[in-house]
Amino acid sequence: MRSYALVLPMVLLHLLLGALPNLIAQRIPNSYIAHKTTDFIDIDGRDDEASWQKAMYSTPFIDIEGEKVPKYRTRMKMLWDDGYLYILAKLEEPHIWGNLKQRDTVVFYNNDFEVFIDPDGDTHNYYELELNALNTVWDLFLTKPYRNGATVLDSWDIQGLKSAISIEGTLNDPSDIDDHWMVELAIPWAVLVEASKSNDPPQNEFWRINFSRVNWQFDLNGGHYSRKKDEKGKYLPEYNWVWSPQGVINMHEPEHWGYVYFSDQEVGADVKFTIPKDEHIKWSLYREYRKKFANAENRPSKNIDVSGKTIELFTDEHQSGWNIWAISPFSGRKLTIDHDGKFYAKEE
């Protein structure tokens, strides 16, 4: 079995270019309402079912930093039932190719689609799933973000995962122009709730989720696709296109991920979701956390302004580390981020 330690230096090139904390103004993460299905979902890489036809596509993906419009459009949909979380993504691509076939290889060395799920929103104990156009899967469990010294469980698998790819075009054929490839997933709740605070699907609750698409420039050698290199023989950098922009080239800052609300209403129902105000406080706490994490001598701001409220911030220094916290004027809860980057919410 391949050791994760052997690929970590390579993975860091992809994941940690933006690992230094950023001071960019907070962007409001995207949100999506996932409805319950009305029919059986056959995982075949297509959206023929009535539920998929009724489900709304997300806004198109944008560059990971949130500034540039990607060359090719990517959108996703989500549904759920008592057994599974369903995801469908459509990736427009004129040249659909892939050559990685071994499960748990570094899939993002091909063009890929990626899913990131943090069930309880504390930025620790979250899932990552990647697939290429060959339906090769790489699934990971991370105990915390890389900035905090993650333990990566590379041998962990999503037991019962169903995945399929459909292609409108021809795979690995440079003689024609393709249209798109589609990813369809069914992820069992029995696996996903292991990192949540409940044993049940999150009905009428939200989780923090994001999606990413890695896209490479390519060369053709003897009719075979490969990642493009520069004149010095180094691979050109990949494009990173995401659903909810990170503001930094690093998917592993879960505090920036989007919000998915799991409505108990059937797909097609008109449901509204508003991100709770405590989450707005949490964004500001993480901004202060990243500043102090970059340099322990940095002192967090004394106050933050959220939804017309001035909220006092506190910092506790102790032998094993430090905490940043505030009392929410909206819920009365104590909201805390510890020195390891984990978020806690406690009733006062």
Side-chain angles (χ1 to χ4, degrees):
M1 181 177 63
R2 180 176 53 80
S3 168
Y4 195 87
L6 296 177
V7 301
L8 185 55
M10 298 181 291
V11 173
L12 291 179
L13 293 175
H14 171 60
L15 302 175
L16 299 184
L17 290 176
L20 293 177
N22 66 86
L23 303 181
I24 298 172
Q26 173 64 47
R27 295 175 170 86
I28 296 177
N30 288 340
S31 59
Y32 183 88
I33 296 173
H35 291 81
K36 291 201 76 171
T37 59
T38 58
D39 52 359
F40 174 77
I41 304 296
D42 180 25
I43 304 303
D44 57 3
R46 303 186 181 279
D47 60 353
D48 300 328
E49 293 85 357
S51 291
W52 279 135
Q53 291 296 311
K54 292 179 182 178
M56 296 292 293
Y57 268 117
S58 68
T59 54
F61 287 23
I62 194 167
D63 181 77
I64 190 169
E65 294 179 284
E67 303 296 336
K68 300 176 183 178
V69 176
K71 189 173 183 179
Y72 309 125
R73 187 165 70 162
T74 312
R75 294 179 296 165
M76 66 81 188
K77 297 180 179 184
M78 303 180 75
L79 293 166
W80 70 283
D81 60 22
D82 292 339
Y84 295 92
L85 166 62
Y86 300 100
I87 298 167
L88 184 136
K90 185 177 181 180
L91 298 82
E92 295 182 0
E93 174 64 64
H95 291 276
I96 301 173
W97 64 278
N99 56 20
L100 298 175
K101 299 179 181 180
Q102 179 182 339
R103 188 186 176 108
D104 289 338
T105 191
V106 185
V107 168
F108 67 76
Y109 285 167
N110 283 172
N111 295 341
D112 79 350
F113 179 73
E114 305 179 355
V115 183
F116 299 83
I117 303 176
D118 180 11
D120 58 11
D122 65 358
T123 78
H124 285 213
N125 298 320
Y126 60 87
Y127 309 107
E128 177 179 354
L129 169 64
E130 303 184 10
L131 302 94
N132 65 7
L134 291 163
N135 198 23
T136 302
V137 171
W138 186 17
D139 42 7
L140 313 169
F141 183 91
L142 294 93
T143 59
K144 61 183 77 172
Y146 287 97
R147 67 186 173 202
N148 301 113
T151 296
V152 181
L153 304 180
D154 190 35
S155 60
W156 174 86
D157 289 337
I158 301 176
Q159 300 295 324
L161 172 71
K162 300 178 183 179
S163 65
I165 305 291
S166 67
I167 295 174
E168 190 67 28
T170 50
L171 179 67
N172 290 326
D173 183 355
S175 67
D176 63 359
I177 299 299
D178 306 316
D179 188 77
H180 69 269
W181 55 295
M182 192 171 286
V183 178
E184 188 178 23
L185 300 167
I187 308 177
W189 289 117
V191 174
L192 293 176
V193 297
E194 290 179 345
S196 72
K197 293 182 171 66
S198 171
N199 293 322
D200 301 314
Q203 180 170 290
N204 296 325
E205 298 176 358
F206 67 83
W207 279 7
R208 302 300 301 275
I209 296 177
N210 212 349
F211 301 92
S212 175
R213 173 183 178 179
V214 169
N215 196 269
W216 298 89
Q217 297 182 61
F218 66 86
D219 274 329
L220 281 172
N221 298 289
H224 298 288
Y225 290 96
S226 61
R227 289 184 290 158
K228 191 176 183 66
K229 297 180 179 180
D230 63 18
E231 62 278 3
K232 296 182 179 179
K234 294 183 178 180
Y235 290 114
L236 295 177
E238 75 277 22
Y239 296 108
N240 296 276
W241 302 329
V242 306
W243 169 51
S244 192
Q246 294 287 109
V248 62
I249 306 175
N250 182 8
M251 284 304 297
H252 290 267
E253 290 192 358
E255 63 268 24
H256 296 302
W257 294 354
Y259 290 78
V260 176
Y261 179 78
F262 297 94
S263 171
D264 63 357
Q265 300 298 304
E266 291 185 348
V267 59
D270 184 17
V271 176
K272 306 297 183 185
F273 168 69
T274 301
I275 299 173
K277 291 182 179 179
D278 276 10
E279 292 295 305
H280 294 240
I281 299 174
K282 184 176 172 182
W283 303 336
S284 294
L285 287 173
Y286 268 106
R287 184 174 61 246
E288 300 299 324
Y289 169 81
R290 290 191 298 269
K291 287 165 34 178
K292 188 168 177 60
F293 184 80
N295 184 347
E297 300 302 317
N298 288 337
R299 301 298 300 177
S301 303
K302 293 183 178 180
N303 301 293
I304 55 175
D305 292 318
V306 176
S307 299
K309 299 285 187 180
T310 299
I311 302 169
E312 187 174 5
L313 295 185
F314 300 90
T315 303
D316 295 334
E317 305 277 355
H318 47 85
Q319 187 174 4
S320 59
W322 46 271
N323 301 325
I324 298 176
W325 59 276
I327 301 296
S328 168
F330 310 113
S331 68
R333 298 188 304 169
K334 182 178 180 180
L335 309 178
T336 303
I337 300 174
D338 68 17
H339 68 279
D340 205 27
K342 189 172 184 177
F343 174 79
Y344 301 87
K346 181 180 179 182
E347 301 294 338
E348 284 293 288

